[in-house]
Amino acid sequence: METKLHSFLNSDLLNKYLVGETSMEESKEVEHYIYQYPEVASAYEKLQDNLQVIAKAGAMDAPNHILSNILESLDEINETKVIQLVQKNKTPWYSIAASAAAILFAVTTFMLYQKNQQLNSENTIVDAEILDLRSDIDKNNSKLDELSKELLKLNNPDAKKYVINGNERAKNLKTVAYINSVDKTSMIDVIALPQLPKDQHYQIWAELQDRMVNLGILDEADRKLKQIPYMEDALALSIKIGKNGDDTDNNSTEVAEISLKEE
């Protein structure tokens, strides 16, 4: 009930009722609230007082000589005795209505302006949030697409899985290689790599019939499925420790190896 009363007081029905612009149903509703709720009756009395003050402030008294002229004219025409009328400073009803209408228009215009400003501000915030949300959705969709493609590659029946464990030099090392000889792709998943000095790094190599080929660097900080070059007719994969800036096989130390030959 308090919410309904609050909504009624925030409406313009009292103002419209005061200046006679309400319909019959609206008038009944206003009168019900006035008689039922002291808060509404008090608000209505305040509106009446304010209207009287504004109307009186804008009202103008007729010059005194006009009334005298009218009385003299009536004496000449009717030759009857005219009773002197007492002039009262009474505000015409149409002046009150006009003032009330002006106040109502000003208040309504100001309220609409405030609501419009508020809606514009809220729309700006909502638009920004929608743009951020769309951006996040696009990024998540892109990540999901990449993950879906990776899963398809891993689940492909043509892809072979090779678990590469470290030897005595790197017991905690573990990686998994996925090689698909049909679509010519190779991927490696870094699971664990023992920490190395700052001047060293892990390298993955492919052993061919007549040479070794460096396939890239493995980094513990990049623990995700990583694409590596596919080498046709590779006999084995090995992981070695090399020095930074040196991509040759001359001074590297092998810490893991797995054969790719079919038994």
Side-chain angles (χ1 to χ4, degrees):
M1 182 56 71
E2 291 182 0
T3 302
K4 189 175 182 181
L5 178 59
H6 183 70
S7 299
F8 175 81
L9 288 174
N10 286 334
S11 69
D12 63 344
L13 281 178
L14 273 178
N15 289 327
K16 293 173 64 177
Y17 179 77
L18 185 63
V19 297
E21 293 184 355
T22 53
S23 64
M24 184 177 295
E25 293 182 358
E26 290 175 334
S27 297
K28 290 181 179 179
E29 181 182 1
V30 172
E31 291 169 358
H32 168 75
Y33 273 90
I34 290 174
Y35 295 136
Q36 189 72 21
Y37 301 102
E39 299 94 330
V40 179
S42 177
Y44 181 63
E45 290 178 1
K46 289 181 180 179
L47 286 177
Q48 285 182 313
D49 293 340
N50 293 337
L51 189 58
Q52 287 287 346
V53 171
I54 293 171
K56 288 181 179 179
M60 296 179 62
D61 294 334
N64 292 329
H65 68 274
I66 295 217
L67 181 59
S68 299
N69 292 339
I70 293 173
L71 293 176
E72 290 176 2
S73 298
L74 291 174
D75 285 338
E76 293 175 358
I77 295 172
N78 298 323
E79 296 180 353
T80 58
K81 190 175 181 179
V82 178
I83 300 174
Q84 183 72 19
L85 299 177
V86 179
Q87 185 178 0
K88 295 183 179 180
N89 187 16
K90 186 176 181 181
T91 304
W93 68 269
Y94 49 82
S95 296
I96 298 176
S99 300
I103 294 172
L104 181 61
F105 176 77
V107 171
T108 303
T109 302
F110 180 71
M111 291 177 62
L112 289 175
Y113 172 77
Q114 283 188 320
K115 288 182 179 179
N116 185 56
Q117 292 295 104
Q118 183 179 359
L119 286 175
N120 288 338
S121 177
E122 291 176 354
N123 287 338
T124 301
I125 296 174
V126 170
D127 290 341
E129 291 177 348
I130 289 175
L131 289 176
D132 292 340
L133 182 60
R134 287 178 177 174
S135 177
D136 292 340
I137 290 174
D138 291 339
K139 290 179 181 178
N140 290 334
N141 287 339
S142 178
K143 291 180 180 179
L144 288 174
D145 289 340
E146 292 179 2
L147 180 61
S148 177
K149 291 178 182 178
E150 291 176 353
L151 290 175
L152 286 175
K153 291 179 180 179
L154 298 183
N155 295 328
N156 192 316
D158 296 323
K160 294 183 179 180
K161 178 181 176 180
Y162 300 90
V163 179
I164 308 174
N165 293 311
N167 56 23
E168 292 296 327
R169 298 185 181 90
K171 294 182 179 180
N172 295 328
L173 185 150
K174 185 175 182 180
T175 62
V176 181
Y178 300 89
I179 300 176
N180 190 324
S181 59
V182 176
D183 60 9
K184 312 297 182 184
T185 57
S186 297
M187 304 183 75
I188 191 164
D189 183 16
V190 176
I191 298 176
L193 291 176
Q195 190 172 0
L196 292 174
K198 293 183 179 180
D199 61 339
Q200 296 179 354
H201 59 254
Y202 292 99
Q203 301 170 345
I204 183 165
W205 293 78
E207 180 184 349
L208 301 182
Q209 188 70 34
D210 56 349
R211 68 187 190 279
M212 299 289 293
V213 178
N214 191 336
L215 302 182
I217 296 174
L218 299 181
D219 190 353
E220 173 70 15
D222 190 24
R223 296 180 62 180
K224 63 180 182 180
L225 205 59
K226 179 180 178 180
Q227 193 86 24
I228 59 175
Y230 174 80
M231 301 302 298
E232 189 77 33
D233 299 327
L235 303 176
L237 290 177
S238 61
I239 298 175
K240 300 182 180 183
I241 299 175
K243 291 186 177 182
N244 293 338
D246 184 5
D247 294 334
T248 65
D249 190 33
N250 298 330
N251 300 315
S252 59
T253 302
E254 185 176 277
V255 293
E257 183 181 17
I258 191 165
S259 175
L260 302 181
K261 296 179 180 178
E262 295 184 2
E263 297 180 357

